[in-house]
Amino acid sequence: MKVLGSRGGLVAVLMVSLLVGCSARQPDAGEGDGTTDSVAERKKRRANILKSLMTMAQPEVLAIETDRATVVSLLNDWAGLEETATTVKPIDPVYTSRLAKALQDKVAEPRFSRRDVGHIRNGLWYARVAALAAGDARTDLQRVVRLFRYVSRNVALRADEDTRLPLAPFGIAMLGDGNSHDRAWLFANLLRQFRIDSVILRCGDQPRFWLFGVLLGEEVYLFDTNLGLPIPADRTQPNGVAIDRPATLKQVVQDSTLLSGLAGDATHPYPVTANSLAAAKIEVVGSTSFWAQRMRHLQMSLAGEESIVLWDPLESSELVPEGVLARLKLAGFDSEGVTVWKYPEERLEGNAAFDNQQRQVFRLRTRAFDAPVPIAQILQDGQNREVRIVMGPAQFRHRLTRNRQLMGDLKSSVTAYLGIRLWRDVPPLPEKTPFISRGQYAVLKTLLPTQVRFIHEEAADDASFWIGVCQYEQGQVASAAKSMRSYRERSGPHEWAGAARWRESQCLAELGQLDEAVSLLKQTRPDDLRWAGSQVLLRRWQRLLAARPAGGGDAKKATR
């Protein structure tokens, strides 16, 4: 979606026109390509174009003030100023042995594509989010755990059958929900910004037979993105309400109860066993854009604040003495047996080629972002006194607010969400509208087109839930718990009811209110996707309550 007419958008378009025009200038007579002046001039033009395109690819700008086609044109114009950047070169055997021919061609392609623009936008966003979520963490393990919690908080769990629409990571984050694979994909991409490697440990052919592994030093720390929890190393004697120390692959192989003890109940065993994990197949997380030579040229040209990770090759080279596969070998894995996780590339390909039905589903999933759709006119027939309304164009404030939230502008997002929540029944009225009574509001609501009414109801539902998420990210745990409770108790649509209960219970536990947290989590029904994770936390918190000293006292609070 592209919003035209803004001052920033016009300036960006003018900049693009000027830059493209400059880059296309032919050398004057007598101006040799090999002279110092021509080399310096070309370098300057490349730097100017790069600066402009990176601004246009920012998450809060792309698709709002600029479009992908323009940025693609700039990227290829930038690349064309260096002859070696547009030369097709043979790709490394690590790709030919692991990728289908069509994917090999994507790695080898020297020209940038529309999908690459999303890759750059996502990289800029990953870098910001990773820094925001990690906060003041002092160790890599603390950073890893905080990033995992951020993903679990901001991507509410949905079933695989409810997430068939192929979305890219930024789209997943904008909608705020996804399946366990989506969580793992986003988690891996955030970790990459800290140069931390991760893998999928495939333990069988069934959908749930896998775990997510994070490589730190000689250890592989384990996470379950379906539970939304690290595999606890302190399962039987918990050190706190939250799992701060994930179990390692070595620990789990040596102590099978670290996994078997995560069963929902006697009839719901944990799907991964220590034996199957010991024989797990290793899959690397990535996509063709991360491995392409065109991204290498772009990565090498970025510096300072724009030094984000856009290129992360599997192979080793002079530029990268230890590529991904070499680093996995150092961690103890057989690099020859490592394959590529197919999910990211399949989703990206699907996302770039929606069919008509998928476009309709996408429109339904994103229609709330149109809010508000204001009432432009309230007209009354002079004879029969019949009232009718004329709707104005969508203002997309809900979309812009969600975008700001993802950029870390949390305080202003809460303020905006409060306004969006007020439009649940009736959207903004025309300027200079006189006072309207409650009864008149009810009449106006009946006059709203059905589509407009759905847009505002769904936007208000999102806003009510995301207010609590924003409050927690700001450290306002008590306020977040209250907002989640208010959400569950409000009338109207409740798209986020299960996620709100899950979040509220963890806030209460973090505040030391374990009795209330346990009572709330017990309300989780077996058909809720969070039920299995709820059973793990319930047993953990009940052990803490049992170990509480006589006379009460708060259990050890969580480390945010």
Side-chain angles (χ1 to χ4, degrees), residues 137-149 187 191 196 214-216 219-223 230 243-248:
R138 297 181 179 181
T139 68
D140 279 341
L141 184 57
Q142 288 178 338
R143 293 184 187 94
V144 168
V145 172
R146 289 188 182 189
L147 289 179
F148 180 78
R149 289 175 182 164
F187 184 31
L191 289 170
I196 296 175
V214 178
L215 283 61
L216 292 178
E219 300 291 353
V220 180
Y221 293 91
L222 302 177
F223 297 81
I243 303 168
D244 293 327
R245 186 79 182 180
T248 67

Side-chain angles (χ1 to χ4, degrees), residues 145 149 229-230 232 234 238-245 472 506 509-510 514 537 540-541 544 556-560:
V145 172
R149 289 175 182 164
L229 299 170
D234 60 347
N239 292 317
V241 297
I243 303 168
D244 293 327
R245 186 79 182 180
Y472 186 87
Q506 293 181 330
E510 187 170 333
L514 271 182
L537 289 183
R540 183 179 187 85
W541 295 347
L544 288 172
K556 181 182 177 182
K557 295 185 179 181
T559 302
R560 299 188 78 252

Side-chain angles (χ1 to χ4, degrees), residues 54-221:
M54 294 305 289
T55 298
M56 296 170 70
Q58 291 290 339
E60 64 269 42
V61 175
L62 185 65
I64 296 174
E65 295 184 15
T66 59
D67 57 50
R68 292 195 185 207
T70 302
V71 182
V72 168
S73 178
L74 260 186
L75 279 166
N76 287 315
D77 190 64
W78 169 83
L81 290 173
E82 183 180 328
E83 292 182 4
T84 58
T86 57
T87 303
V88 180
K89 301 176 182 177
I91 61 174
D92 193 276
V94 300
Y95 302 112
T96 57
S97 62
R98 290 172 172 84
L99 301 178
K101 182 61 168 61
L103 297 185
Q104 295 176 33
D105 292 343
K106 288 183 181 298
V107 173
E109 174 58 52
R111 292 183 59 81
F112 290 91
S113 67
R114 289 172 61 89
R115 216 179 84 176
D116 290 328
V117 177
H119 179 75
I120 296 168
R121 185 269 314 277
N122 291 349
L124 291 165
W125 176 61
Y126 297 147
R128 288 200 218 176
V129 170
L132 173 71
D136 60 355
R138 297 181 179 181
T139 68
D140 279 341
L141 184 57
Q142 288 178 338
R143 293 184 187 94
V144 168
V145 172
R146 289 188 182 189
L147 289 179
F148 180 78
R149 289 175 182 164
Y150 176 89
V151 171
S152 298
R153 286 195 301 269
N154 287 275
V155 181
L157 189 63
R158 292 282 188 263
D160 289 349
E161 57 267 24
D162 295 330
T163 53
R164 291 175 181 170
L165 185 70
L167 296 175
F170 193 73
I172 294 166
M174 281 291 290
L175 291 174
D177 58 22
N179 59 38
S180 58
H181 298 86
D182 294 328
R183 283 177 163 184
W185 186 14
L186 179 54
F187 184 31
N189 288 339
L190 292 177
L191 289 170
R192 188 177 276 111
Q193 296 304 313
F194 285 118
R195 277 72 174 178
I196 296 175
D197 294 311
S198 58
V199 294
I200 301 296
L201 297 110
R202 184 75 57 190
C203 305
D205 296 331
Q206 298 301 313
R208 284 289 322 281
F209 288 15
W210 63 277
L211 286 175
F212 189 94
V214 178
L215 283 61
L216 292 178
E218 297 180 354
E219 300 291 353
V220 180
Y221 293 91

Side-chain angles (χ1 to χ4, degrees), residues 432-496:
K432 299 181 180 180
T433 299
F435 175 78
I436 293 181
S437 66
R438 185 183 296 271
Q440 290 170 320
Y441 263 107
V443 172
L444 287 177
K445 184 176 182 179
T446 63
L447 298 176
L448 291 173
T450 302
Q451 179 78 357
V452 172
R453 183 163 46 82
F454 285 159
I455 286 172
H456 290 94
E457 288 177 352
E458 292 168 8
D461 186 59
D462 291 342
S464 297
F465 177 72
W466 286 337
I467 284 172
V469 176
C470 288
Q471 289 169 330
Y472 186 87
E473 299 298 342
Q474 295 178 88
Q476 301 167 4
V477 183
S479 296
K482 184 177 179 180
S483 293
M484 293 300 174
R485 181 170 65 253
S486 297
Y487 174 84
R488 293 189 300 105
E489 295 173 351
R490 68 190 289 273
S491 60
H494 283 76
E495 181 69 22
W496 308 95

